Amino acid sequence: QVPLVESGGGLVQAGDSLTLSCAADGRSWSDYALAWFRQAPGKEREFVAGIAWSGGVGRNYADSVKGRFTISRDNDKNTVYLQMNGLKPEDTAVYYCAADFKGTGLQWSGLYDYWGQGTQVTVSS
């Protein structure tokens, strides 16, 4: 059973907005940092945004999405969100959420213990 399930992907036009959601299973995820990564065809998986576990502070963003994307979490719903505004064709990728126990939402994928199966985001020009 995959503990993290992403949703909300789709096909949009450049400049549009989209919100991704990642729902976690019934365990408590408040002790986990949650993050979004993405992987475009032919490219390596890259960090997008991360948010610290509930006892920590801070959000981190890749330079390429700063000012356009916002990560947030709702611990009552065991869900992390990625609000994406001003989408560009280069944002096209499969987006994955990931969880890191007692983490601070850093960009190194090796820190993350759990991964979802991804949701496709396609931005047309």
Side-chain angles (χ1 to χ4, degrees):
Q1 182 180 359
V2 178
L4 301 170
V5 179
E6 303 92 339
S7 62
L11 172 62
V12 297
Q13 294 186 331
D16 284 352
S17 297
L18 202 60
T19 299
L20 304 182
S21 300
C22 175
D25 65 13
R27 79 191 76 181
S28 174
W29 290 91
S30 59
D31 287 340
Y32 286 79
L34 298 169
W36 289 93
F37 290 76
R38 67 186 181 187
Q39 188 167 19
K43 295 187 177 181
E44 293 187 353
R45 189 172 298 186
E46 65 174 1
F47 174 80
V48 176
I51 186 167
W53 71 289
S54 296
V57 296
R59 293 172 171 83
N60 297 304
Y61 295 94
D63 288 343
S64 59
V65 306
K66 280 181 182 176
R68 298 190 297 125
F69 291 11
T70 302
I71 188 170
S72 61
R73 64 188 298 163
D74 184 336
N75 289 329
D76 291 338
K77 296 182 178 179
N78 269 351
T79 301
V80 61
Y81 304 96
L82 185 68
Q83 173 68 42
M84 305 185 293
N85 298 326
L87 283 162
K88 305 175 181 179
E90 51 263 44
D91 294 319
T92 295
V94 177
Y95 283 71
Y96 300 88
C97 68
D100 170 24
F101 183 69
K102 292 289 177 75
T104 56
L106 299 178
Q107 70 266 39
W108 295 291
S109 61
L111 296 173
Y112 292 84
D113 308 297
Y114 297 97
W115 292 83
Q117 293 182 321
T119 185
Q120 176 71 47
V121 173
T122 303
V123 184
S124 63
S125 58

